[in-house]
């Protein structure tokens, strides 16, 4: 599974050698590649963050999807979490991350505007994590914009070495990649080292490897919306372990390559065709039949 395409490990080693954070190392490179200034790149990232915030706010209005299959879950979770007697089993930050992730996914299912980070189906994960960090860790807009630069570079490496599409690599390539991007960004935003960011990426793929793509009726709703919430928690879990100094036996590049290998091995039925998994359960098939007849 050797792969000589662009390497996250190499970027990490270069940043460590330069004694820079990952965002400080990547920002000038990314700006140069896009032929814009660093300030312009950060402004673009800040604009994306604004769209993410608006998407979460729209989702939290309780919006429902066009099909009627999903909607209202983010608002339900937010309302429940605001009750004094509600047990936040995950803790306040993680509960908020799940809420925002689901809210953005519900916005997507309702045809609202989202940032495909890296795809529409997985658009909730990165905002879920970043907006929760903003609220609970008092991160500035610039810190978040820089974290998005890191997330973007991680996504580029995954796209080059493997895939970001559920139709190619299953949901591990969509929600898994989004979680890896969010985990690396979170580590960097919270002051972790480049090596720790790489560890977080690797931990995410270890925990999400093999996740199939099985949307009910081919709609990006079930299980996609709740999976965004789950992936946000996976990202936080990986970031926390990495920040605690826990290492990863498998380096990030190799974990990404393993994700590609698993994706290539998946049958078509589990790659966005709605031909397997949850999409083929009796409940899903009955709903899909009724919906297709209605439409
Ligand atoms: S299940 Fe498939 S369509 Fe849904 S988020 Fe995952 S990869 Fe995307």
């Amino acid at each position: 599974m050797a792969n000589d395409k662009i390497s996250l490990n190499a970027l990490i080693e270069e940043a460590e050698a330069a004694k820079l954070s990952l965002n400080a190392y990547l920002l000038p490179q990314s700006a140069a590649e896009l032929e814009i200034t660093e300030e312009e790149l950060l402004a673009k990232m800040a604009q994306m963050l604004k769209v993410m915030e608006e998407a979460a706010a729209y989702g939290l209005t309780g919006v429902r999807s066009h099909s009627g299959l999903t909607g209202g879950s983010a608002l339900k979770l937010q309302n429940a979490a605001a009750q004094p007697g509600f047990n936040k089993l995950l803790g306040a930050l993680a509960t908020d991350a799940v809420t925002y992730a689901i809210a953005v996914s519900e916005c997507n299912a309702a045809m609202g505007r989202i940032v495909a980070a890296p795809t529409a189906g997985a658009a909730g994960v990165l905002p879920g994590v970043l907006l929760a960090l903003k609220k609970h860790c008092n991160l500035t807009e610039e810190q978040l914009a820089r974290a998005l630069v890191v997330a973007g570079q991680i996504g580029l490496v995954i796209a080059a070495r493997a895939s970001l599409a559920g139709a190619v690599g299953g949901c591990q390539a969509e929600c898994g990649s989004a979680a890896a991007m969010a985990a690396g960004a979170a580590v960097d935003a919270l002051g972790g080292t480049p090596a720790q960011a790489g560890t977080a990426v690797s931990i995410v793929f270890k925990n999400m490897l093999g996740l199939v793509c099985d949307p009910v009726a081919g709609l990006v709703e079930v299980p996609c919306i709740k999976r965004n919430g789950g992936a946000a928690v996976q990202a936080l879990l990986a970031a926390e372990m990495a920040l605690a100094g826990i290492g990863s036996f498998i380096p990030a590049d190799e974990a990404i390559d393993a994700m590609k290998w698993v994706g290539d091995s998946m049958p078509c039925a589990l790659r966005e065709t709605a031909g397997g998994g949850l999409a083929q359960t009796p409940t899903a098939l009955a709903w899909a039949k009724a919906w297709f007849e209605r439409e």
Side-chain angles (χ1 to χ4, degrees):
M1 267 195 293
N3 190 326
D4 54 9
K5 291 190 179 141
I6 62 170
S7 159
L8 190 56
N9 294 354
L11 292 171
I12 287 166
E13 280 164 23
E14 287 158 18
E16 293 278 1
K19 298 198 183 324
L20 291 171
S21 67
L22 205 46
N23 79 72
Y25 181 71
L26 293 175
L27 179 61
Q29 278 192 15
S30 303
E33 275 166 24
L34 293 167
E35 299 182 344
I36 56 177
T37 66
E38 293 178 25
E39 291 71 26
E40 286 168 335
L41 178 53
L42 289 176
K44 276 182 187 292
M45 295 297 119
Q47 177 59 28
M48 287 198 191
L49 197 67
K50 191 163 172 293
V51 174
M52 290 176 176
E53 283 178 315
E54 288 168 358
Y58 183 52
L60 282 167
T61 62
V63 70
R64 293 201 67 82
S65 67
H66 171 70
S67 73
L69 182 58
T70 56
S73 293
L75 180 61
K76 206 173 269 184
L77 183 55
Q78 187 184 59
N79 287 342
Q83 298 301 316
F86 185 76
N87 285 316
K88 288 184 191 164
L89 298 175
L90 294 172
L93 189 152
T95 296
D96 279 338
V98 174
T99 303
Y100 296 139
I102 291 177
V104 173
S105 295
E106 288 184 333
C107 168
N108 177 59
M111 303 296 161
R113 189 162 75 132
I114 49 95
V115 178
T119 63
V125 183
L126 193 52
V129 169
L130 292 184
L131 298 181
L133 290 182
K134 180 183 180 188
K135 178 175 171 183
H136 292 272
C137 303
N138 298 319
L139 296 184
T140 64
E141 189 171 275
E142 179 170 346
Q143 283 173 308
L144 291 167
R146 286 173 172 267
L148 278 177
V149 173
V150 172
Q153 186 62 52
I154 293 169
L156 280 173
V157 173
I158 297 169
R161 300 183 76 94
S163 169
L164 300 169
V168 177
C171 201
Q172 55 165 8
E174 267 198 32
C175 284
S177 297
M181 292 162 66
V187 167
D188 182 77
L190 294 172
T193 65
Q196 287 173 331
T199 295
V201 168
S202 188
I203 291 173
V204 163
F205 282 120
K206 282 172 171 174
N207 291 346
M208 297 185 74
L209 213 58
L211 188 63
V212 302
C213 173
D214 50 356
V216 170
L219 301 172
V220 187
E221 298 191 45
V222 176
C224 318
I225 291 171
K226 292 188 181 76
R227 242 176 225 174
N228 273 255
V233 175
Q234 287 284 357
L236 290 173
L237 170 71
E240 186 153 282
M241 282 200 263
L243 285 165
I246 297 172
S248 173
F249 180 65
I250 309 293
D253 283 347
E254 292 180 38
I256 294 167
D257 295 348
M259 187 273 277
K260 173 174 167 46
W261 189 93
V262 171
D264 289 347
S265 307
M266 269 183 198
C268 263
L270 299 175
R271 290 194 265 157
E272 215 170 311
T273 55
L278 296 169
Q280 285 294 310
T281 57
T283 298
L285 291 173
W287 186 89
K289 184 170 178 288
W291 181 66
F292 284 128
E293 282 169 3
R294 251 196 340 266
E295 292 294 301

